[in-house]
Amino acid sequence: MNRFWQLTAYPQGTDFASGITLQEEAMPEIGENQLLVENLWLSLDAGTRMWLTPRTDSYMDPTPLGSKIIGFVLSRVVQSRHAGFKEGDIVRAYGQWADYSVLYPDMGDIWVVEDIGDMRQHFAVLGPNGWTAYVGLTEYGKVRPGETVLVSAAAGATGLLAAQFAKAMGCRVIGIAGGPDKAALLTGTWGLDAAIDYKAQDVGGALAQIAPGGIDCYFDCVGGPILDAVLPNMAMNGRVAVCGLISTYDKEEREGPRNFDLILMKRLTIAGFFSPDFYFRGGEINRLTRPWLEAGKVGMAFDTTQGLENTLTAYGKLFSGGNVGKVMVKLTD
Ligand SMILES: NC(=O)c1ccc[n+]([C@@H]2O[C@H](COP(=O)([O-])OP(=O)(O)OC[C@H]3O[C@@H](n4cnc5c(N)ncnc54)[C@H](OP(=O)(O)O)[C@@H]3O)[C@@H](O)[C@H]2O)c1
């Protein structure tokens, strides 16, 4: 039998159990050019929340009701009917939140990955979160050494990588995160220059003190009130790389940023991006970031949950701030 998480209704807010249920089916059979894989790890990503709504103007189509939940998996090929893959290959791919997935390699977004010890790094420094951070900083944030870079959700997977990459690129880096423990981790373990606890501090006031010259690049994972507080603190000709808007994903009402006029007054550039547009550059980016990983210059904290049945609890951490670093579910012992 194969267990999988099924979307039965679009969840309300963060009550994921209201619309996502664990089901069982007979082991799927594969057709020509398909693979059956055993999922070893699930990568839980905040962006998935956008596919679990009925909105049709997002970057991915809504997941149809009745479907399995799609997500990144690290898996072992157990049966191959595709000439490019053999049994035993370890792949990173879009699969499902399930014990086993059927994959269609010709549709793309599947990579055979090498054994690097901690395979979770294939989703972190050397995977989609790392590619997002790198592309966001360089192509959209256009960071240069010596500049002041601000990162929100800085103790989460994508933000922690953006913050560390910016440090490795020679920038002064300020992180925003929820709670004193996360703020202390950012300046302690992760070597950021300063951190702001947005739950206890006035973000705008703190930025004015920490960065009186202004923020050159804001790598924004959050949007909402934090973005409102950051815009008045941007430097002239600053750039905002809009990576994510996690504060808004489960809201039906959409709000624009306050202080919109400052985009004009400060000559700001605000640009959104989605990493799937850059997955083809993953190998090239890894050639630059892997030496940082191997030298211990960058890394990742992992928040690991054991067992497919605990996936929703793990997923909820992304929206409550219960995680530090990359949230993953381990499916095998
Ligand atoms: N553009 C792309 O291609 C791309 C790719 C990957 C991720 N992203 C985006 O990057 C962001 C982070 O995703 P992730 O998967 O790496 O998750 P993550 O950062 O590991 O976890 C999400 C974090 O967001 C913070 N958060 C949640 N709700 C918040 C709110 N209302 N206000 C402020 N902070 C809040 C929480 O930290 P605190 O404790 O600090 O609140 C939480 O730990 C998301 O917006 C995601 O959509 C975009």
Side-chain angles (χ1 to χ4, degrees):
M1 300 298 285
N2 181 37
R3 296 178 305 160
F4 64 93
W5 286 98
Q6 183 184 41
L7 185 68
T8 51
Y10 293 111
Q12 297 299 312
T14 52
D15 181 9
F16 298 114
S18 65
I20 303 174
T21 52
L22 191 58
Q23 310 282 1
E24 262 191 4
E25 64 178 0
M27 191 61 77
E29 291 184 7
I30 58 170
E32 196 66 20
N33 292 321
Q34 297 175 9
L35 308 176
L36 179 68
V37 299
E38 179 188 17
N39 298 323
L40 310 174
W41 289 94
L42 304 185
S43 161
L44 298 190
D45 297 285
T48 304
R49 183 70 185 89
M50 286 182 266
W51 325 332
L52 305 180
T53 71
R55 70 180 289 182
T56 52
D57 59 353
S58 181
Y59 78 111
M60 292 272 277
D61 289 336
T63 303
L65 296 180
S67 301
K68 296 173 181 171
I69 307 285
I70 297 170
F72 266 123
V73 292
L74 186 88
S75 317
R76 179 186 298 110
V77 176
V78 291
Q79 203 185 343
S80 173
R81 293 188 62 190
H82 190 288
F85 298 83
K86 60 183 186 312
E87 284 173 30
D89 281 348
I90 302 294
V91 296
R92 174 186 53 213
Y94 271 124
Q96 297 91 28
W97 291 3
D99 288 321
Y100 291 84
S101 293
V102 175
L103 303 182
Y104 303 73
D106 294 338
M107 291 176 69
D109 292 338
I110 179 167
W111 302 260
V112 174
V113 292
E114 65 177 291
D115 186 351
I116 52 168
D118 188 347
M119 300 297 273
R120 297 173 297 183
Q121 291 292 4
H122 284 302
F123 293 98
V125 176
L126 303 179
N129 291 120
W131 305 338
T132 303
Y134 188 87
V135 165
L137 285 172
T138 56
E139 305 280 333
Y140 295 87
K142 299 192 186 305
V143 296
R144 291 182 290 269
E147 288 194 326
T148 299
V149 174
L150 176 69
V151 179
S152 55
T158 311
L160 191 53
L161 290 169
Q164 294 177 81
F165 288 178
K167 278 298 291 178
M169 292 171 193
C171 300
R172 176 176 182 243
V173 182
I174 304 164
I176 300 176
D181 294 346
K182 285 190 178 181
L185 269 180
L186 290 177
T187 51
T189 308
W190 300 104
L192 273 58
D193 297 284
I196 298 170
D197 167 9
Y198 75 90
K199 291 184 176 168
Q201 290 177 267
D202 162 34
V203 173
L207 283 174
Q209 282 199 338
I210 298 169
I215 304 300
D216 299 300
C217 167
Y218 176 35
F219 187 98
D220 188 9
C221 291
V222 170
I226 295 179
L227 176 61
D228 293 338
V230 171
L231 284 180
N233 287 286
M234 292 298 295
M236 201 65 80
N237 297 307
R239 290 84 58 198
V240 180
V242 182
C243 172
L245 300 169
I246 194 170
S247 70
T248 71
Y249 291 159
D250 56 4
K251 295 201 169 56
E252 282 181 21
E253 285 288 308
R254 289 186 216 162
E255 291 175 13
R258 298 171 72 91
N259 308 310
F260 188 83
D261 60 327
L262 293 177
I263 297 168
L264 175 64
M265 307 309 169
K266 290 174 176 278
R267 288 77 153 172
L268 304 179
T269 303
I270 300 189
F273 63 97
F274 273 112
S275 55
D277 300 343
F278 297 94
Y279 285 169
F280 73 96
R281 289 186 53 194
E284 166 206 336
I285 296 168
N286 286 357
R287 276 193 288 283
L288 295 164
T289 54
R290 189 165 174 160
W292 292 342
L293 176 67
E294 288 173 351
K297 205 169 181 178
V298 304
M300 179 50 70
F302 290 99
D303 181 309
T304 298
T305 294
Q306 177 74 44
L308 183 70
E309 63 282 6
N310 297 315
T311 302
L312 294 191
T313 307
Y315 196 62
K317 291 183 179 186
L318 296 168
F319 299 89
S320 67
N323 64 309
V324 172
K326 177 78 192 158
V327 177
M328 302 206 57
V329 179
K330 189 170 191 290
L331 299 186
T332 52
D333 293 333

